[in-house]
Amino acid sequence: MDPFSSLESNQSLKLDEGITAQNIEQVKQGVRQSIAMANAQELIRRVNDACFKMSVPAPGASFTRAEQDSVSRCVDKYLASWDVVAQTYVARLQREGK
């Protein structure tokens, strides 16, 4: 769902002098990129918190092979689960938007 769609469809939007549609599009693209970056950082933080706590019960100077394997499996499962949730959420938004 695009938070800027209402701006694009609003025909009564008046542009100040010096502000062009291209400027507005550049700002919107910058905001989209910032949101995507924030979402990626939050996902990484959550994966790190969940998988590290579960896979490394007693942190030491280095990871054991078992801890490395556990973190790897956890990250794979977490990301796969996140992908399913995201796809389901997008599908729901699309259904409700129609």
Side-chain angles (χ1 to χ4, degrees), residues 43 47 51 54-55 68-84:
L43 177 62
V47 167
C51 294
M54 185 181 80
S55 301
Q68 290 176 5
D69 291 344
S70 180
V71 168
S72 180
R73 283 190 308 273
C74 178
V75 169
D76 288 345
K77 287 181 181 181
Y78 194 100
L79 293 177
S81 298
W82 184 86
D83 191 40
V84 169

Side-chain angles (χ1 to χ4, degrees), residues 48-57:
N48 185 46
D49 288 348
C51 294
F52 187 81
K53 286 176 186 175
M54 185 181 80
S55 301
V56 186

Side-chain angles (χ1 to χ4, degrees), residues 19-81:
I19 298 177
T20 65
Q22 183 179 5
N23 295 129
I24 292 172
E25 190 56 40
Q26 288 172 342
V27 169
K28 290 185 331 185
Q29 186 60 31
V31 170
R32 285 184 189 109
Q33 288 174 347
S34 294
I35 291 169
M37 180 62 73
N39 287 341
Q41 289 171 337
E42 179 65 13
L43 177 62
I44 290 168
R45 184 192 66 76
R46 287 180 182 211
V47 167
N48 185 46
D49 288 348
C51 294
F52 187 81
K53 286 176 186 175
M54 185 181 80
S55 301
V56 186
S62 62
F63 286 121
T64 66
R65 182 68 185 158
E67 290 170 337
Q68 290 176 5
D69 291 344
S70 180
V71 168
S72 180
R73 283 190 308 273
C74 178
V75 169
D76 288 345
K77 287 181 181 181
Y78 194 100
L79 293 177
S81 298

